[in-house]
Structure formats: structure tokens, C-alpha cells
Amino acid sequence: MNIHILQKEVQDFIHQHEHESSASLALKKSPFEGITSSELASQIDGKQRCRKKIPLWAQTDNIYYPDKLNLEQCSSEKTARFKASLIEPNTTLIDITSGFGVDDYYFAQAAQKVISCEINPELAAISKYNAKQLQADNIDIIASDGVKYIFENKDLKIDYIYIDPSRRVAQQKVFMLSDCEPNIVVLQQELLQRADHIITKVAPLLDITAARSELHHVKDIYVVSLQNDCKELLFVQKKDFVGEPNITAVRIFGEKTQRFCFTQQEEADTAVSFSQPLRYLYEPDVCLTKAGAFKSITKAFNLKKIHQHTHLYTSDIYDEDFLGKIYEISEVIPFSIFKKSKEKLKTNAVAKNFPLKTEVLKKKFKISDGGELHSFFITDAADELIVIHATRK
């Protein structure tokens, strides 16, 4: 952490150039002694990255931005706010892998006290400085191995342990929970002796069933998407909990958050009805499909499925509470008729459960992207290939 960057004239320079290309600035000579042009460029790049992902940091004066990798790995403001909603008021939380500390800032809005452990001393120093700028006085930031800190402070009262284990070990990506660092699978029993709850954030690619088999006392599983991009899987373990966990799909889009809760047993027990396309077409958000809510949503939203392997649904009723996109169908035609047409089509085309991939279809039939029309090339309930033309509601 270069403290010269905190000088007023340097901060003024960063503010004045925050909309310029950081790459271009890195090639110019630094106007400040003790600060390289690459350091200035890194601060400007950091502010630009934070503007969308964690705008509070970009809007706050005198924030010190870490390396690009730390900003890429940190939570967004919206997903961090959601995680904070899982915390009971007036509790103590310890984050044993805090990183840049975005999650901890929002945990601190709910908890009475947050202990933030970061093994990288420079990153811990940056987070500690920024916490003061953000007036987060109930965060205690410690440059330490979080697991070691917990076991060395046995008298410490902890209600929640939060862990975001690294999915990159020895510079290689890993996908099994037991391969991450720290190894929550090995540590879970000891950690549950120190806290009532463990909240573990894992990569969206992780298989939910595989993780459930490795973790004990899982009470809740959250699948969190932001703008139809699956961002996080959260496993909440509760000491001595026995039973089937609730799975909650969480859709965050704009300023709105939607939830759909179910269990794997409910999903297995749900009978699905199939139908040809009706008035409305329902396309589930990625949080639903990742969570495995393929059947239970038909019961909850009174939907019929178009085909067992075509994850699109239909109804004559419009339900704005559905977690996903809803379209009003204007035309349904057999693919055999569509392919005979010589008319050039401008539409947002997508193939689902169809023998041709989307890009192949667009090239073969000279389909151009754009406009308000959406076209779905799918297999229907009668195993026939059809094309659905629809507009977004």
C-alpha cells in the first residue's frame, strides 16, 4: 500500500481522470514523486471497476483500490447485501477469508460486530483503511490466517463463520469443495463447535448434490443470480441441524429481489403436465435451473411444460412474480414450414432442445439479430420441431 496515493493532490488527479483510459495513463510519465504511472493507472482502473460492481466504494472519497484480481474476486454490492440479509441482528460474525472486505461491510450493517481476517497483510491494510473511509466502525480487520485465529482465540463468542474458500490452489482451478483452501470439509466439525452457523460461498459451477454429500448439518442452500448470471452458491450449516435443507433460488435484477424456495423431495414428488404453447411463454432464470427447480415451479406458478427436455413453460395466465422472462406468443409454426420460407427474419433467435445450434440456425436461414421479436426453435410435447415467435412482456 503506497501511502503517497492518499495525498490530496493525487486523489484530485484520480478524480479528474477517472473516466479516461487507465491503459493510456500507464504509458505516460507520473506527475508525482514516489508514485509510478502504473500505480496511478491501477487506482483509476479500480475506481472504474467499482462504479458498477460496488458503487459505494467508487462514490466514497479517498478509497484505496487493490489489485485488479482482488476486485474481480470480490462480491458485488447487490449479492453482498443479500448475504447480509441472512444474518440475525446483534450477532458476531467472523470472516476467515475476507479479501477486499465487501461482504464484511454489509455484514456489519446487520451484525453487532464483524471480525475480518485476511492473510495478505497488504490487502488487510487496504481494507482497514477503507473501512474507516466508509465509517464501518464495527469491523475489526486482522492480518491473519482466519482458521488459525479462531482456534487461537477459544474464548471468542462467535455466532456466524463466513468462508469463501479459494477455488485456485497452486495456480490451478479446482472444482471439488474438498480441494478448495481452506478445506471446509475437513474443518466443518471443529468450526461448528465454535459457532452456531457456517455460511460457505462456493463457485456456481459446483454440483449442489456433491457439495451436500460433503457438508453436514446443511439447513439452507441459496442459488443467487444477478441479471440472469449465476453468481454464487451459499451453503448455510446450523449446528446440530438434522433434516432436508431448503433450496432457495434468488433472482436479483434491477432493484428487485425474488425468491423461490423448495426441497429436493418436493421437486421429486411434483407431477408435471405438458402442453402445446398457450398464450404466454415462461423462460426460467438461471437461478431456478441451477437450483434444479424444473418441476416444482409448474405447481407454484400453475404452468405447463412444453417438453420434458425443453425447459420452457407455458400458460394462458400472466404471472409477474415468476423468476424469469415472460413472453407473449404471437405465432407458433412447424419448423418444416418455417424452413421453406424465403423471407429474411430479424429476431432474437435461440435454439433449445433442437437439433441445430443457435449460431448454425442463424447462419443457415440468414437470421439477423435485433428488434423486439424473440424466436424459439424448440421440440414440443409431441416431439415435433416448432418455432415460437413472441415478444417480451
Side-chain angles (χ1 to χ4, degrees):
M1 184 174 178
N2 187 345
I3 60 172
H4 297 299
I5 287 172
L6 305 178
Q7 296 171 357
K8 184 181 184 304
E9 59 268 28
V10 181
Q11 290 296 308
D12 289 343
F13 178 89
I14 292 169
H15 178 70
Q16 292 164 8
H17 294 82
E18 64 177 290
H19 298 290
E20 297 181 22
S21 166
S22 58
S24 297
L25 287 168
L27 298 175
K28 298 178 181 179
K29 184 179 178 181
S30 170
F32 304 106
E33 186 177 349
I35 305 172
T36 66
S37 57
S38 62
E39 286 177 315
L40 286 173
S42 177
Q43 291 301 301
I44 291 168
D45 177 71
K47 189 161 190 171
Q48 291 170 348
R49 289 175 183 274
C50 287
R51 198 177 296 130
K52 287 186 178 180
K53 191 173 185 179
I54 42 174
L56 177 62
W57 276 250
Q59 294 162 7
T60 302
D61 291 336
N62 304 318
I63 289 292
Y64 194 105
Y65 299 97
D67 291 340
K68 178 174 70 173
L69 180 61
N70 297 126
L71 290 175
E72 289 175 346
Q73 293 178 338
C74 76
S75 295
S76 69
E77 185 172 307
K78 290 183 177 180
T79 58
R81 282 184 185 277
F82 171 75
K83 287 193 284 286
S85 72
L86 307 179
I87 301 300
E88 292 292 331
N90 301 315
T91 51
T92 297
L93 178 144
I94 181 167
D95 181 351
I96 62 176
T97 53
S98 67
F100 187 43
V102 175
D103 287 323
D104 294 341
Y105 173 82
Y106 289 99
F107 282 138
Q109 307 304 301
Q112 183 178 50
K113 181 179 181 180
V114 172
I115 301 169
S116 178
C117 295
E118 171 51 46
I119 198 167
N120 180 331
E122 181 175 1
L123 187 56
I126 292 172
S127 296
K128 190 169 188 174
Y129 165 79
N130 287 338
K132 291 181 180 178
Q133 305 307 117
L134 294 164
Q135 298 181 342
D137 299 326
N138 59 332
I139 305 177
D140 188 5
I141 298 171
I142 300 166
S144 172
D145 179 315
V147 175
K148 184 178 179 182
Y149 181 85
I150 286 176
F151 293 143
E152 286 181 347
N153 292 269
K154 297 189 181 298
D155 295 332
L156 186 67
K157 182 186 180 299
I158 306 169
D159 299 298
Y160 295 90
I161 295 172
Y162 177 68
I163 178 169
D164 179 4
S166 174
R167 272 83 69 183
R168 187 173 289 275
V169 179
Q171 299 184 336
Q172 297 291 323
K173 278 191 176 182
V174 296
F175 300 99
M176 294 294 293
L177 195 55
S178 55
D179 292 330
C180 297
E181 290 183 352
N183 188 338
I184 181 64
V185 177
V186 170
L187 293 169
Q188 59 183 317
Q189 291 302 122
E190 290 181 271
L191 293 178
L192 281 170
Q193 291 175 10
R194 298 299 319 279
D196 292 332
H197 298 85
I198 301 173
I199 302 174
T200 303
K201 170 186 168 182
V202 301
L205 290 175
L206 190 76
D207 181 80
I208 292 175
T209 302
R212 275 190 62 189
S213 68
E214 292 187 296
L215 295 177
H216 310 310
H217 310 298
V218 176
K219 185 176 183 294
D220 290 285
I221 301 169
Y222 296 91
V223 183
V224 184
S225 74
L226 180 62
Q227 303 300 123
N228 200 29
D229 183 9
C230 191
K231 292 294 186 182
E232 299 178 356
L233 297 184
L234 303 170
F235 288 81
V236 181
Q237 296 168 268
K238 184 178 181 181
K239 183 185 293 183
D240 300 328
F241 175 79
V242 177
E244 184 177 13
N246 288 320
I247 303 174
T248 304
V250 181
R251 182 193 185 211
I252 304 172
F253 67 107
E255 298 305 313
K256 191 173 182 180
T257 299
Q258 295 173 298
R259 303 188 190 197
F260 177 73
C261 183
F262 68 104
T263 66
Q264 287 187 335
Q265 189 61 53
E266 289 170 346
E267 173 71 12
D269 291 344
T270 301
V272 177
S273 297
F274 297 91
S275 170
Q276 293 297 317
L278 302 172
R279 182 176 178 182
Y280 295 105
L281 184 71
Y282 287 76
E283 182 180 20
D285 187 88
V286 66
C287 67
L288 288 173
T289 54
K290 175 62 184 179
F294 297 109
K295 299 194 295 182
S296 47
I297 57 172
T298 63
K299 181 179 179 181
F301 297 101
N302 195 25
L303 302 175
K304 297 183 184 297
K305 206 171 185 187
I306 291 180
H307 186 278
Q308 182 179 356
H309 303 299
T310 302
H311 299 311
L312 292 171
Y313 303 79
T314 191
S315 174
D316 279 324
I317 300 171
Y318 175 73
D319 190 340
E320 64 179 6
D321 293 327
F322 179 73
L323 282 69
K325 298 174 183 176
I326 309 174
Y327 305 84
E328 187 165 13
I329 296 173
S330 56
E331 186 180 20
V332 180
I333 57 176
F335 180 63
S336 58
I337 293 177
F338 170 85
K339 64 184 180 181
K340 294 176 182 177
S341 173
K342 302 298 182 184
E343 181 183 355
K344 290 186 178 179
L345 186 63
K346 183 176 183 178
T347 184
N348 302 285
V350 62
K352 289 178 176 287
N353 189 24
F354 198 80
L356 299 177
K357 294 185 181 298
T358 302
E359 292 306 315
V360 175
L361 270 171
K362 291 195 290 188
K363 184 177 181 180
K364 183 179 179 68
F365 296 102
K366 298 181 173 57
I367 299 172
S368 58
D369 291 323
E372 295 183 356
L373 185 65
H374 294 258
S375 299
F376 296 85
F377 293 76
I378 67 169
T379 303
D380 69 7
D383 285 326
E384 298 291 337
L385 303 181
I386 62 171
V387 183
I388 302 173
H389 294 311
T391 52
R392 181 83 181 271
K393 288 293 290 179

